[in-house]
Amino acid sequence: MEKKPHFVRREFLPREVPSVSLALLLAAVLLLNALLYLYLNRFYSSLGRVEPDPGLCPFGHFKFGAVKNCSPWLSCEAINREVRKLKCVGEGAVKKVFLSEWKEKKVVLSQLTNSELKEDFLHGLKMLKALQSKHVVRLLGYCEQQFTILTEYHPLGSLKGLNETLHIPKYKGMNTWHRRLMLAMDYVGVIRYLHSSPLGTLVMCDSNDLDKVLSQYLLTSDFHVLVNDLDALPLVNRSAGRLVKCGHRELRGEFVAPEQRWPYGEDVPFEDDLMPPYDEKTDIWKIPDVSNFFLGHVEGSDIVRLHLFDIHAACKKKDPAERPSAQEVLDTYRKVLTLLIREAAMPGTREML
């Protein structure tokens, strides 16, 4: 009689094994989140803050380079005696800018060129003194009698040269979507600071086109953004019914906000007295265009744009009251940066879970 073969029943691996694997994966994700938190928190702490920076000197003083002690702002006498002009590096409607030297250190000396615009020059100096922070170029001294301002020198210059800088071999490693997004966050952080400044809500009026905006900001050697030109910074005071107008001429083009354009059509000649004033939401309208410049066309930048689509669409609302605040834009940028860095660090994590 033929014996039937015996089938050996195979035991499945204990369920604890995949559970252990899942636990290890979750632990890795938690560790990654912790590292991301520590990394991003250091960056976030420099954005959108109105509190004084503990690293800054008391009012009327400055620290320069690696020097630990604070020095008083240089006076007229000290500037005339100790500062030596090297060459002219720029000239605008209000002032001429000279690369200069002070105690073997490069500095920037700005001098009024048009006496009819001295009020603008002095307003810029007033703002520069009052708004000293991590968002604003460092003031080293001034001389009101001679219409002279001395500030820190940043060799990478204004943001107009950002793309050229990122193609220099030394800085090519910075030409990534996350570094570019962080620069955009720096920019929005400056707007956030101006809208909640110690002086009140300030509007960045020197911003009628992209080139003009970029010329107002500096790129530091450690790749941060500082506002440099504060000549046109009027104050919004809603409780007093005070709104602003950026200059006395007609503004045109899609870059400026709708409320900044002449509202009565081509058939009615522009008259400054008839032009309605507006508030700080004009700065919000311009954020998507400036951020688009920052993001450039590197690998991953289109993915960033996709994640920012909704907040940028909100910035372009025709009704200024419907646009987000600079703080809301900054919060969204932070969330997008965190999300994309997490996904880049652990691709496929979501599917594994």
Side-chain angles (χ1 to χ4, degrees), residues 18-212:
S19 298
V20 170
S21 299
L22 182 59
L24 290 173
L25 177 61
L26 288 172
V29 171
L30 291 173
L31 177 60
L32 174 65
N33 285 340
L35 293 173
L36 282 172
Y37 173 81
L38 293 172
Y39 168 70
L40 295 172
N41 189 58
R42 293 182 62 189
F43 175 69
Y44 292 163
S45 64
S46 69
L47 292 172
R49 304 293 186 185
V50 295
E51 298 85 1
D53 179 0
L56 291 174
C57 293
F59 182 81
H61 295 73
F62 70 93
K63 278 194 300 189
F64 197 70
V67 177
K68 294 183 178 180
N69 297 326
C70 296
S71 302
W73 286 335
L74 299 186
S75 63
C76 296
E77 181 184 0
I79 291 174
N80 291 333
R81 184 179 65 250
E82 301 172 13
V83 176
R84 181 171 66 94
K85 291 180 186 177
L86 299 178
K87 63 177 180 178
C88 179
V89 292
E91 183 172 4
V94 178
K95 54 186 177 286
K96 186 177 287 189
V97 180
F98 296 90
L99 175 63
S100 304
E101 192 175 60
W102 174 69
K103 294 188 175 180
E104 299 182 349
K105 297 182 179 70
K106 297 288 193 304
V107 293
V108 173
L109 188 71
S110 302
Q111 292 184 318
L112 177 70
T113 55
N114 186 345
S115 59
E116 295 180 359
L117 298 175
K118 64 182 180 181
E119 293 303 320
D120 291 13
F121 183 91
L122 293 176
H123 176 75
L125 173 59
K126 177 184 175 182
M127 294 294 104
L128 195 54
K129 290 192 290 184
L131 298 176
Q132 283 295 288
S133 71
K134 63 187 72 178
H135 303 287
V136 179
V137 70
R138 185 171 295 148
L139 178 64
L140 307 179
Y142 64 92
C143 180
E144 285 194 36
Q145 298 93 316
Q146 299 174 6
F147 297 99
T148 298
I149 300 173
L150 192 70
T151 54
E152 190 173 15
Y153 171 62
H154 293 279
L156 296 183
S158 80
L159 289 177
K160 290 176 68 174
L162 174 63
N163 288 323
E164 289 75 12
T165 297
L166 288 172
H167 283 94
I168 297 173
K170 179 181 178 181
Y171 298 111
K172 278 190 175 181
M174 297 288 194
N175 197 17
T176 61
W177 67 262
H178 60 274
R179 176 60 64 175
R180 284 176 169 271
L181 178 55
M182 289 169 75
L183 288 173
M185 291 172 68
D186 260 357
Y187 164 72
V188 177
V190 173
I191 299 299
R192 158 69 173 82
Y193 175 70
L194 295 178
H195 289 183
S196 304
S197 82
L199 301 178
T201 302
L202 300 167
V203 182
M204 193 67 178
C205 266
D206 261 345
S207 56
N208 298 334
D209 57 62
L210 180 60
D211 275 355
K212 187 64 174 175

Side-chain angles (χ1 to χ4, degrees), residues 225-273:
V225 174
L226 297 176
V227 63
N228 180 52
D229 196 329
L230 303 173
D231 294 346
L233 211 61
L235 178 70
V236 169
N237 188 338
R238 286 189 183 82
S239 60
R242 181 194 302 166
L243 299 177
V244 304
K245 288 192 287 187
C246 291
H248 305 287
R249 298 179 181 178
E250 182 178 2
L251 300 179
R252 297 176 178 268
E254 293 298 315
F255 188 83
V256 297
E259 63 271 23
Q260 292 184 280
R261 302 171 210 153
W262 179 243
Y264 303 117
E266 296 289 339
D267 296 334
V268 181
F270 177 82
E271 287 187 43
D272 185 41
D273 292 340

